[in-house]
Amino acid sequence: MQTREHSDLEFTILREDLGRFLEVFRELAFYTAHAGVVERLSEDRNTPSDVMQFWGYDRAAECWRIDMMIEPGSQAVWAYKRNPSFKRPRTEMVMRTADNIPYLNPCAVLLFKARDRRPKDQQDFENGLPKRPASERAWLKNCLDALHPGNAWATAL
């Protein structure tokens, strides 16, 4: 269920799947976003291993369509890209809709949003948190306490 407007589609993939996703979305112009710099993806599509984010631009509509991020995990393990020592089984972190569409566990999404909170992130926190089981809220609080000491969301948890 969509709770607010979104301007693009954001998702994560494993690096081993990058070529396949670039091919599926071949109608988009791809750019790398790294260290505050956005550059057109090279024609050979080779990227340094430290580049973890790719933006897809729809030239016909003149807008960004996707924000594709590489995650450091594996097929079996989800790892938090900002600190890969925070890991959980992928089965707990990648959930599925009734139509079998995968999505990231909302508590992991909130963990990403906690560092640089914007008004829409606060809205997501307030809307999503009450729907999460106590175990998920506890996991998020532990992560916030370790990664972002003093974070207001940790206090609210």
Side-chain angles (χ1 to χ4, degrees):
M1 172 175 67
Q2 184 172 321
T3 58
R4 63 175 173 78
E5 288 297 316
H6 292 77
S7 59
D8 64 1
L9 177 64
E10 299 173 359
F11 58 94
T12 64
I13 63 170
L14 297 173
R15 184 162 300 274
E16 64 198 55
D17 296 326
L18 178 60
R20 188 169 67 206
F21 277 88
L22 291 173
E23 180 60 27
V24 167
F25 294 110
R26 68 182 163 275
E27 75 280 1
L28 300 177
F30 275 93
Y31 293 76
T32 61
H34 178 69
V37 177
V38 176
E39 296 179 313
R40 181 74 189 256
L41 182 62
S42 65
E43 289 298 320
D44 63 12
R45 295 185 171 184
N46 288 327
T47 57
S49 61
D50 62 338
V51 173
M52 306 293 275
Q53 191 166 18
F54 300 84
W55 293 351
Y57 186 75
D58 183 333
R59 291 174 286 232
E62 298 182 339
C63 66
W64 296 105
R65 291 288 183 200
I66 63 173
D67 182 356
M68 183 169 58
M69 294 154 278
I70 304 294
E71 67 170 75
S74 68
Q75 294 291 336
V77 176
W78 175 88
Y80 180 53
K81 82 174 187 175
R82 292 183 181 146
N83 185 333
S85 68
F86 286 77
K87 298 178 181 180
R88 287 184 72 184
R90 182 167 296 282
T91 55
E92 293 177 11
M93 299 309 287
V94 178
M95 306 172 97
R96 298 206 172 255
T97 67
D99 294 330
N100 205 31
I101 298 171
Y103 65 96
L104 187 59
N105 181 316
C107 281
V109 173
L110 292 173
L111 178 58
F112 280 106
K113 291 171 171 272
R115 185 182 76 180
D116 304 310
R117 294 184 318 271
R118 303 163 291 181
K120 67 181 180 178
D121 301 325
Q122 184 64 36
Q123 179 184 357
D124 291 344
F125 178 79
E126 291 168 5
N127 288 337
L129 195 64
K131 300 172 187 158
R132 305 309 317 147
S135 61
E136 292 295 322
R137 293 192 308 268
W139 174 83
L140 178 58
K141 181 175 178 14
N142 289 337
C143 290
L144 292 174
D145 287 343
L147 296 167
H148 307 295
N151 184 287
W153 288 359
T155 303
L157 291 165

